[in-house]
Every structure is written in C-alpha cells, then in structure tokens.
C-alpha cells in the first residue's frame, strides 16, 4: 500500500472537471424530462441550439488564444453553461435569441476574463440578463402548461415556431399563449405579481387555474425534479449543501414572515420555493464553483444573500422571477464575503 504525499488543498473527493460537469448534466435530466412533458418539444430544440453554439464559440475562442481546442471542449463546462441558459428561457423563443445569449455567455463572460476558472460572473445568468433586458417580450413569452393550453404542438410545430416565429398553420407565440378559456397565460409568479399590483388579495390571486395543486401547475413538479437532481449532487459531493440551504432560507424565511404580518400581500414560502427557477437556481446555478464564495461559511452567506435578494426583487422589484439578477449581484459581493469568511490557518491571527 503506497502513501502519496501531495500539497494542499487536500480534496476529499478528487474528480476531474469533465467528470463533475458530466454529473451536473445528468442531474439536470429529471428536470429536463419534466420540462418537456409540461412545456413541449421547444425545450429540446433550445438545448440543441444552445449546446451547438457554445461548442463552436468555445472552439473559436480557444483557437484564437493559440491553444488546442479539444482538451478545453471535453471539460464540459460549455455544455453546462449552455444547458442552464437553454432551460431558463421560454421553450418557443426565436432561435436567434438563444444564439446571442450563448455567444455572450461564452465569449464575453467566460473567455474575455481568461476562460475556465477566471470568470467573476456566472456565465449562464449573465447571458440570461442580457437577453431579458434586450428582448423582454421574447424572454417572457412562456406557454401555459400542456394541460391548460388550447393548442397541441408537435415536434415540427415547435421547430417551425422557433425558426420562423409562427406555426405551419399561422399561429404566433402570443396566440399559443392563450389557455383553454381564452386567457393569455403567465407564469405563476408573474400572474401573482400582476394581480397583487392591481389590488387583489393573495387569496384572490391564487384562485387562477395556474395555481392548481399546491404551487403552480407544471412548475411545482419542475422544481421538485430539479430538487431531486440537486440532492443527488449533494449526495455525490459534487456540490456542498451550504449554498442551496442558504438560498432557500434567505427566500423562505422572509416569505414566511410576510405571511405572518401581511397575509393579504404574500403568496407564501411554498409558492416561492416551487415556482420559477428557484430549485434550478439553488442547486445548479448559484453553486457555480468559480463565481461563488469559497469557504463553507462564505457559501452559506452567499446563498442567504441570493435568497434575500430574490425575495426582495420578486416582492417589490420589476421582475417576477429574480434568480439571475440575485446571482449576479451576489457574484459582485464574493470578494468581500471571502475576505471576512476565509478560514484562519492554525497559529495565525485573523486579519482585520
């Protein structure tokens, strides 16, 4: 039995970057399947477009820096970035939207800063925010879940909408967004935020069909699927529990307090936790090892900060979901968090 001496840091689980990223993609699969079931084939086409664009951009950037492309491509970091961005946008978004977002995420946010391990912002969320600010109509055109939609879109119909913005029968995305009762559908968070701003109470806002069951038809199962994938990553020690726990506490505790003190204006912690991109953000986006805090205590604070920011933006901000903005704002705070949570070496005094 050999004893190998190696310098610090001493990782308990030694995995190559490509292996880690591969497990992240595998853990996304339950959510991808649920998203396909409730929102149609557009999800698959967005993934194909995003991943193809990411690999082309990655190869061109690496070759422009006089490096071999294949060793960088096979680390699977571009695959994860593209997948997260594709899963965050409406399934029938025009093809050029996801292409622009991925180009910005890979070329500007990742490679301009030096490539893998050098970016200060989460590339997928930076690309998402660029698209949301630049193309707000396309980025907020979510379809109703299949059970509430009056149109049934097949494989060719979905592809035709993404490529040409109309179905073969001439229906636009805006027409496809109407539910079986003729009402233009919105996401649960968007619907609740709009109704509360119009003076409805929370109980009245939650009477809409989109809030079927306990947290939003389709969205609740989507978030539970990403939760299952995230717990798998924690079990395999691909990610630590600190950021997801911090984020969910930072989001749900203020939501619970709002229920206690202002019940008429609160949709409650369960809907906050199981609607929008909460679980995808908690387990797959905020846990990016490059742009997040480094120490365990710092990760907990980092997650808490994201959760509180998500609650504040959802409640009083201009956007119904806030994961991307909260993650980028928290990324800016990472140097400060790391400074005050960095573990002190034995025998040394903590610097002020």
């Amino acid at each position: 039995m050999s004893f190998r001496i190696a310098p610090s840091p001493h990782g308990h689980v030694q995995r190559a970057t490509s292996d880690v990223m591969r497990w992240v993609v595998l853990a996304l699969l339950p959510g991808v399947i649920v998203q396909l079931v409730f929102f149609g084939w557009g999800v698959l086409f967005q993934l194909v477009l995003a991943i193809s664009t990411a690999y082309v951009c990655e190869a061109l950037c690496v070759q422009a820096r006089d490096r071999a492309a294949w060793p960088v491509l096979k680390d699977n970091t571009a695959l994860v970035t593209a997948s997260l961005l594709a899963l965050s946008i409406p399934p029938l978004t025009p093809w050029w939207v996801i292409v622009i977002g991925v180009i910005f995420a890979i070329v500007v946010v990742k490679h301009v800063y030096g490539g893998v391990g050098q970016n200060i912002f989460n590339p997928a969320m930076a690309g998402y925010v660029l698209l949301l600010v630049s193309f707000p109509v396309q980025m907020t055109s979510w379809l109703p879940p299949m059970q509430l939609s009056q149109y049934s879109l097949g494989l060719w119909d979905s592809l035709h909408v993404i490529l040409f913005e109309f179905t073969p029968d001439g229906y636009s995305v805006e027409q496809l967004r109407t539910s079986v009762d003729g009402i233009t559908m919105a996401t649960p968070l968007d619907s609740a935020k709009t109704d509360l701003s119009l003076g409805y109470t929370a109980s009245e806002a939650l009477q809409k069909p989109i809030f079927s069951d306990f947290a939003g038809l389709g969205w609740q199962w989507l978030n539970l699927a990403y939760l299952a994938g995230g717990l798998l990553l924690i079990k395999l020690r691909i990610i630590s529990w600190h950021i997801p726990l911090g984020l969910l506490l930072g989001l749900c505790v203020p939501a619970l307090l709002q229920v206690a003190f202002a019940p008429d204006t609160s949709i409650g912690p369960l809907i906050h936790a199981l609607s929008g991109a909460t679980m995808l953000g908690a387990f797959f986006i905020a846990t990016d090892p490059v742009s997040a805090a480094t120490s365990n205590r710092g990760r907990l604070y980092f997650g808490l900060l994201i959760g509180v920011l998500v609650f504040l933006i959802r409640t009083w901000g201009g956007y119904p979901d806030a994961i991307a903005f909260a993650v980028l704002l928290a990324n800016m705070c990472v140097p400060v968090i790391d400074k005050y949570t960095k573990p002190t070496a034995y025998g040394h005094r903590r610097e002020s």
Side-chain angles (χ1 to χ4, degrees), residues 266-315:
S266 174
I267 58 176
L270 188 63
I271 293 178
H272 273 294
L274 296 180
S275 292
T278 302
M279 293 301 173
L280 180 65
F283 291 94
F284 295 93
I285 294 172
T287 52
D288 172 31
V290 177
S291 57
T294 53
S295 67
N296 286 337
R297 188 156 60 99
R299 290 170 184 156
L300 187 60
Y301 294 158
F302 178 78
L304 282 168
L305 176 60
I306 294 174
V308 171
L309 288 171
V310 168
F311 174 77
L312 293 176
I313 297 172
R314 284 182 177 180
T315 305

Side-chain angles (χ1 to χ4, degrees), residues 5 27 95 107 177 229 268 277 318-319:
I5 299 176
W95 65 271
V107 177
R177 292 181 64 200
Y319 294 93

Side-chain angles (χ1 to χ4, degrees), residues 142-264:
W142 283 90
L143 298 181
M146 291 291 191
Q147 292 84 342
L148 297 180
S149 177
Q150 65 172 313
Y151 300 102
S152 178
L153 295 181
L155 189 69
W156 170 241
D157 295 321
S158 299
L159 179 60
H160 201 278
V161 175
I162 292 172
L163 294 179
F164 306 110
E165 302 185 34
F166 289 92
T167 66
D169 296 327
Y171 293 111
S172 67
V173 174
E174 189 61 27
Q175 291 172 307
L176 295 173
R177 292 181 64 200
T178 56
S179 64
V180 290
D181 55 6
I183 298 174
T184 299
M185 294 296 295
T187 64
L189 291 173
D190 196 8
S191 175
K193 190 176 185 68
T194 300
D195 286 347
L196 291 174
S197 68
L198 294 175
Y200 292 95
T201 64
S203 58
E204 291 172 336
L206 299 181
Q207 294 301 313
K208 289 189 173 180
I210 190 66
F211 292 101
S212 173
D213 297 334
F214 50 91
L217 182 62
W219 294 93
Q220 59 203 14
W221 303 113
L222 182 60
N223 275 275
L224 289 173
Y226 285 127
L227 171 61
L231 293 176
L232 173 64
L233 293 181
I234 291 176
K235 179 176 176 58
L236 295 173
R237 301 175 73 179
I238 301 293
I239 62 173
S240 69
W241 54 267
H242 301 82
I243 292 176
L245 178 63
L247 191 154
L248 294 176
L249 286 176
L251 174 60
C252 294
V253 171
L256 190 61
L257 293 175
Q258 189 182 32
V259 169
F261 293 101
D264 287 343

Side-chain angles (χ1 to χ4, degrees), residues 57-89:
C57 291
E58 185 100 315
L60 292 176
C61 288
V62 172
Q63 289 176 347
R65 295 163 61 189
D66 295 324
R67 296 174 56 191
W70 176 242
V72 177
L73 292 176
K74 70 179 182 180
D75 67 12
N76 295 324
T77 55
L79 173 63
V80 171
T81 296
S83 299
L84 292 176
L85 184 52
L87 293 171
S88 301
I89 71 172

